[in-house]
Amino acid sequence: MRNYTYLLVDFFTIVVPFLFSFHPKLQFYKAWKAFFPAVILTGLLFLLWDIYFTYLGVWGFNLNYIIGWKLWGLPLEELLFFLCIPYSCVFTYHCLTLLMDLKLAKPLEDSITYVLILLGLISTVYYWGQYYTVSTGILMIVLLLVAKNVMKVNWLGKFYLVYLVLLFPFCIVNGILTGTGLNEPVVWYNPEHIIGLRIGTIPFEDVFYGLDLILLNLLIYHWLRSRLIK
């Protein structure tokens, strides 16, 4: 059963959100026309990033915790990760914004955005040469600038609030993948390419990697939904 660890993480991440997608009050399945193109486009970018960094040895996968099927050098479970995690996160965003009146004062939203951009700049300059740290920082800067100044989205505040909620299941899922409760990590990271600060077993960069992954999905998802509604 140990070889199914990563596959089971993927499965339990998506199974409940998928089943509740058909709940009459939620009806997330009606948003699939926007979600699946968004997850495919985002997944292509992140898969290219993943393939290259796996090749460079920035991170890798423990053979003891995967079933062994690979494509482009990546385990099947890693490919499924870019479907399962965004599905559960966008579903959560859909539910919380539908059922709750999520609001964040514009000055606070702007402050959070500028602080994140500043953190991205600092990490990029100070940790230049540490590939994971720098790449997550650069992508975060680009996505936030595009969201705020190019697409001029009006939901960044909601995203920040939802992502704060998502950090709790994030710590569970990423904790398992990075070795919490296991003898070894499922996914390992080269210490030369991370700053070394961890939340339990989770590299600190994963917080911003998750933000990048979900924000890009939502940017495309919202853009497509606006076109489909028209």
Side-chain angles (χ1 to χ4, degrees), residues 173-185:
V173 171
N174 272 38
I176 294 171
L177 294 180
T178 54
T180 300
L182 303 175
N183 294 326
E184 304 169 287

Side-chain angles (χ1 to χ4, degrees), residues 84-137:
C84 297
I85 299 301
Y87 192 99
S88 62
C89 291
V90 176
F91 171 80
T92 302
Y93 175 89
H94 170 83
C95 294
L96 292 180
T97 55
L98 179 68
L99 302 175
M100 301 174 66
D101 184 21
L102 296 179
K103 289 182 180 179
L104 201 60
K106 192 66 167 61
L108 180 55
E109 175 192 312
D110 290 342
S111 297
I112 294 171
T113 302
Y114 294 134
V115 167
L116 288 173
I117 291 172
L118 181 61
L119 284 174
L121 286 170
I122 292 171
S123 66
T124 299
V125 174
Y126 189 79
Y127 294 104
W128 188 258
Q130 292 170 264
Y131 293 166
Y132 188 32
T133 308
V134 171
S135 58
T136 53

Side-chain angles (χ1 to χ4, degrees), residues 145-186:
L145 288 175
V146 167
K148 186 166 184 60
N149 299 317
V150 179
M151 299 180 73
K152 301 184 186 302
V153 304
N154 60 3
W155 46 263
L156 265 184
K158 294 180 181 180
F159 166 70
Y160 294 143
L161 291 172
V162 173
Y163 191 65
L164 188 63
V165 173
L166 289 171
L167 285 175
F168 291 98
F170 160 88
C171 287
I172 296 172
V173 171
N174 272 38
I176 294 171
L177 294 180
T178 54
T180 300
L182 303 175
N183 294 326
E184 304 169 287
V186 179

Side-chain angles (χ1 to χ4, degrees), residues 34-95:
F35 170 76
F36 281 110
V39 82
I40 289 169
L41 290 171
T42 302
L44 286 173
L45 172 63
F46 275 78
L47 281 173
L48 290 173
W49 182 4
D50 207 341
I51 291 166
Y52 185 54
F53 272 27
T54 301
Y55 170 76
L56 293 178
V58 175
W59 55 54
F61 308 92
N62 191 326
L63 296 178
N64 293 323
Y65 294 104
I66 58 177
I67 60 176
W69 298 354
K70 290 190 176 184
L71 186 63
W72 306 308
L74 298 180
L76 171 65
E77 297 90 337
E78 182 75 352
L79 301 176
L80 292 173
F81 177 92
F82 294 109
L83 168 64
C84 297
I85 299 301
Y87 192 99
S88 62
C89 291
V90 176
F91 171 80
T92 302
Y93 175 89
H94 170 83
C95 294

